[in-house]
Amino acid sequence: MLNQVIIAFTGYFSILARRNKRLKMSKKPLILVTNDDGITAPGIRTLISVMCTIGDVVVVAPDSPQSGMGHAITIDSTLHVEKVTIDDGPQTEYSCSGTPADCVKLAVREVLDRKPDLCVSGINHGSNSSINVIYSGTMSAALEAGIESIPAIGFSLLDYNWGANFEHSKSFIKTIVLNVLNNGLPKDVVLNVNIPNVSKKEIKGIKICRQARANWEEEFDKRTNPMGRDYYWLTGKFVNMDHGEDTDEWALKNNYVSVVPVQFDLTAHHAIQQLNSWDFNA
Amino acid sequence: MLNQVIIAFTGYFSILARRNKRLKMSKKPLILVTNDDGITAPGIRTLISVMCTIGDVVVVAPDSPQSGMGHAITIDSTLHVEKVTIDDGPQTEYSCSGTPADCVKLAVREVLDRKPDLCVSGINHGSNSSINVIYSGTMSAALEAGIESIPAIGFSLLDYNWGANFEHSKSFIKTIVLNVLNNGLPKDVVLNVNIPNVSKKEIKGIKICRQARANWEEEFDKRTNPMGRDYYWLTGKFVNMDHGEDTDEWALKNNYVSVVPVQFDLTAHHAIQQLNSWDFNA
């Protein structure tokens, strides 16, 4: 009997707790923050400070830089997650041994007790415009959240330096995040936001764009190590042959913040009809 | 004078050599082969043997397994490439310390003396259908070749085992490769080919498809190491809610070889109009 009362009370309190949680949720969104430059990078510290003015913030980010990781995930080794305190902000933070995509998976399945209302990734130190979206750890985290049906945005500043000035990014980030929270995102779409590295007054506004058809012309820097063995460093030159005024490259060059809606359905739907004319029985 | 004669002769012979090379090229395509399971994997050995019946084959593949690497590239460490001999086939082979995308970049810029006519990646041990294309090292190599404007195909067999039987894949691979060489591919499109793990006579044919909207529901296997520290293994269950008969998942389940045309323009073009209605000046 006593047991039953206790169970009944526990049930009652847990209903109250759930209701309070719902009420709290309706006031403040739960925001997951991650990146690919590592949890101590100035870019993510800026993003965390902006998100703390909007919602309840949980950070799950890599313990070391993961640039160029694309959509890598950790299959063949173990993953570690540690609760950490990096500054005196109100956010809760976890440092993770995995890739940006791993961080989102771990956050959703193990760290958070409910699905976040938003996932933001960045601010990346360096551009993720045009073809860079393919190689970007920042955007892979946003895409991973999108696959989990979480509204998601990747932010990047066009300055590769660790000491980059993120100050002018803050108001644009806040505007875009509030639009996403208020309007929602189209199904299976995440945003790739790039911010020019110029002063705030030089920025002309925010522009919705398509990904430019650009690519890297790699140049491998060939060297010989002290033991006489050759090795290479990957270097390259960014080449943009696509000068459309609806592209992210055009927007950035003309001092707009570029916003590209990005999808993870990679099907080239326009090519299906042509391929159906092939003869596979020849 | 003697010098001039020698130069003239050298020039003459080099013109002859170039002409012979052109003639040879016009008969046999140059095929770059790579993968993500590593250069000794049975899947790539099968693919090499099929490609050697079609063209001149150069292999540049990772020296160790790279599954789940997505479109990772090596920025912060050095790359090594070694010429190797693995079997007595007519192909030339190089083993590379980098990711599948690195292998293609290195092949194009450092190893090959001209752009290949085709790049094939695989045969992957395991499916790269639907959302797996995002995480796939096999497909990242094909996409990297596509970015370089090289016709490219990724092949995968629905069997994760190292000892998988690739025999029945051979004729389908040859049919698809010959179609690509004869017809060309639509601009900026590469093919993602998955092959069911059933006997050849059970396979109903080759089907052009779209990528199914499926995802992984991760389950992290949490353990404690001998030092008392928690760690995780990433595991998961594949969930397909998209039962469209035009999807790769439907085709594979119904014993068709699935062919999805894949693009690296990730822009969700259909979402641009909706986003343009947002108010960024609020």
Side-chain angles (χ1 to χ4, degrees):
Chain A
M1 170 65 183
L2 184 64
N3 273 354
Q4 284 173 341
V5 172
I6 291 173
I7 289 167
F9 264 93
T10 313
Y12 177 66
F13 285 125
S14 82
I15 287 167
L16 273 186
R18 276 204 299 275
R19 203 176 62 183
N20 286 339
K21 201 171 166 188
R22 270 205 302 277
L23 287 174
K24 196 178 166 197
M25 277 161 48
S26 69
K27 280 198 299 196
K28 281 190 119 183
L30 177 60
I31 304 176
L32 171 65
V33 183
T34 190
N35 77 339
D36 77 342
D37 291 317
I39 196 163
T40 61
I44 193 171
R45 306 317 303 170
T46 305
L47 189 55
I48 293 166
S49 72
V50 178
M51 290 308 109
C52 284
T53 68
I54 299 173
D56 292 323
V57 173
V58 177
V59 181
V60 183
D63 59 12
S64 59
Q66 300 277 334
S67 291
M69 282 308 281
H71 211 100
I73 50 173
T74 304
I75 298 171
D76 288 332
S77 67
T78 58
L79 286 164
H80 296 267
V81 183
E82 303 282 348
K83 196 166 181 176
V84 292
T85 304
I86 293 175
D87 62 31
D88 56 2
Q91 72 279 1
T92 312
E93 299 200 47
Y94 298 84
S95 155
C96 171
S97 63
T99 65
D102 290 331
C103 287
V104 173
K105 287 177 186 289
L106 266 163
V108 171
R109 302 288 170 208
E110 294 291 325
V111 175
L112 300 171
D113 56 5
R114 70 173 181 91
K115 189 180 268 201
D117 300 298
L118 180 73
C119 172
V120 290
S121 178
I123 308 168
N124 191 59
H125 293 238
S127 171
N128 279 317
S129 60
S130 69
I131 196 65
N132 297 300
V133 69
I134 291 267
Y135 306 104
S136 163
T138 303
M139 282 309 298
S140 80
L143 281 164
E144 187 61 43
I147 294 167
E148 299 273 355
S149 301
I150 300 163
I153 317 169
F155 292 102
S156 306
L157 175 69
L158 271 64
D159 185 344
Y160 286 90
N161 294 307
W162 193 257
N165 180 6
F166 291 96
E167 208 50 38
H168 69 291
S169 307
K170 289 182 172 179
S171 62
F172 298 107
I173 289 173
K174 194 161 181 173
T175 299
I176 292 166
V177 163
L178 290 176
N179 262 282
V180 168
L181 287 171
N182 291 333
N183 300 320
L185 277 173
K187 189 172 178 298
D188 293 346
V189 167
V190 306
L191 300 185
N192 180 20
V193 176
N194 282 271
I195 301 162
N197 185 28
V198 297
S199 70
K200 190 174 171 181
K201 67 177 181 198
E202 288 173 275
I203 293 185
K204 292 183 191 149
I206 295 168
K207 197 170 187 301
I208 311 296
C209 312
R210 67 172 172 86
Q211 173 187 325
R213 174 55 169 110
N215 63 294
W216 287 87
E217 277 185 5
E218 283 79 19
E219 285 159 22
F220 285 93
D221 182 348
K222 188 174 181 177
R223 301 183 182 193
T224 306
N225 76 8
M227 282 67 73
R229 192 180 172 207
D230 290 338
Y231 66 94
Y232 297 90
W233 288 103
L234 172 58
T235 68
K237 198 172 63 194
F238 183 68
V239 184
N240 179 25
M241 303 297 284
D242 179 355
H243 300 296
E245 296 194 1
D246 55 347
T247 64
D248 51 0
E249 288 304 320
W250 187 93
L252 291 163
K253 204 173 159 191
N254 288 276
N255 288 351
Y256 287 92
V257 173
S258 68
V259 178
V260 176
V262 166
Q263 63 190 356
F264 43 87
D265 174 8
L266 306 192
T267 311
H269 291 276
H270 65 280
I272 286 180
Q273 194 179 357
Q274 181 177 338
L275 296 184
N276 268 326
S277 71
W278 288 10
D279 182 6
F280 290 123
N281 301 311
Chain B
M1 169 64 184
L2 183 62
N3 273 355
Q4 284 172 341
V5 172
I6 290 172
I7 290 166
F9 263 95
T10 311
Y12 176 69
F13 285 126
S14 83
I15 289 167
L16 272 187
R18 277 205 297 278
R19 204 176 64 180
N20 286 339
K21 201 171 166 191
R22 270 204 303 275
L23 287 174
K24 197 178 164 198
M25 278 161 46
S26 70
K27 280 199 296 193
K28 282 189 116 185
L30 176 60
I31 303 176
L32 171 64
V33 183
T34 190
N35 77 340
D36 77 342
D37 291 316
I39 196 163
T40 60
I44 194 172
R45 306 319 302 171
T46 304
L47 190 55
I48 293 165
S49 72
V50 177
M51 291 309 109
C52 284
T53 67
I54 299 172
D56 292 323
V57 174
V58 177
V59 181
V60 183
D63 58 13
S64 59
Q66 300 276 332
S67 291
M69 283 306 283
H71 212 103
I73 51 173
T74 303
I75 298 171
D76 289 332
S77 68
T78 57
L79 286 165
H80 296 268
V81 184
E82 302 283 348
K83 195 165 181 176
V84 292
T85 303
I86 294 175
D87 62 31
D88 57 2
Q91 72 279 2
T92 312
E93 300 198 47
Y94 299 84
S95 155
C96 172
S97 63
T99 65
D102 290 331
C103 287
V104 172
K105 287 178 187 289
L106 267 164
V108 171
R109 302 291 171 204
E110 293 290 325
V111 175
L112 300 171
D113 57 5
R114 70 172 181 92
K115 188 178 271 202
D117 301 297
L118 178 73
C119 172
V120 290
S121 178
I123 307 167
N124 191 59
H125 293 237
S127 171
N128 279 317
S129 61
S130 70
I131 196 64
N132 298 300
V133 69
I134 292 267
Y135 306 103
S136 163
T138 303
M139 282 308 298
S140 80
L143 281 163
E144 186 62 43
I147 294 167
E148 300 273 357
S149 301
I150 299 162
I153 317 168
F155 292 101
S156 305
L157 176 68
L158 271 63
D159 185 344
Y160 285 91
N161 295 304
W162 193 259
N165 180 5
F166 291 95
E167 207 51 37
H168 70 290
S169 308
K170 289 181 172 180
S171 63
F172 298 106
I173 290 173
K174 193 159 180 173
T175 299
I176 292 166
V177 162
L178 291 176
N179 262 282
V180 169
L181 287 171
N182 291 334
N183 300 320
L185 277 172
K187 189 173 177 295
D188 293 345
V189 167
V190 306
L191 300 185
N192 180 19
V193 177
N194 281 270
I195 301 162
N197 186 28
V198 296
S199 70
K200 189 174 172 183
K201 67 179 181 197
E202 287 173 275
I203 294 186
K204 292 183 191 150
I206 294 168
K207 197 170 186 302
I208 311 297
C209 312
R210 67 173 172 87
Q211 174 186 325
R213 173 55 168 111
N215 64 294
W216 287 87
E217 276 185 7
E218 283 79 19
E219 286 158 21
F220 285 93
D221 183 348
K222 188 174 181 177
R223 302 183 182 193
T224 306
N225 76 8
M227 283 68 74
R229 190 179 173 209
D230 289 338
Y231 65 94
Y232 298 90
W233 286 104
L234 172 58
T235 68
K237 199 172 62 193
F238 184 68
V239 183
N240 179 25
M241 303 297 285
D242 179 354
H243 301 296
E245 297 194 0
D246 55 347
T247 64
D248 50 1
E249 289 303 321
W250 187 93
L252 291 163
K253 205 173 158 190
N254 288 276
N255 288 351
Y256 287 93
V257 172
S258 69
V259 177
V260 176
V262 166
Q263 62 190 357
F264 43 87
D265 174 8
L266 305 193
T267 311
H269 290 277
H270 66 280
I272 286 180
Q273 195 179 355
Q274 181 178 338
L275 297 184
N276 269 325
S277 70
W278 287 10
D279 183 6
F280 290 123
N281 301 312

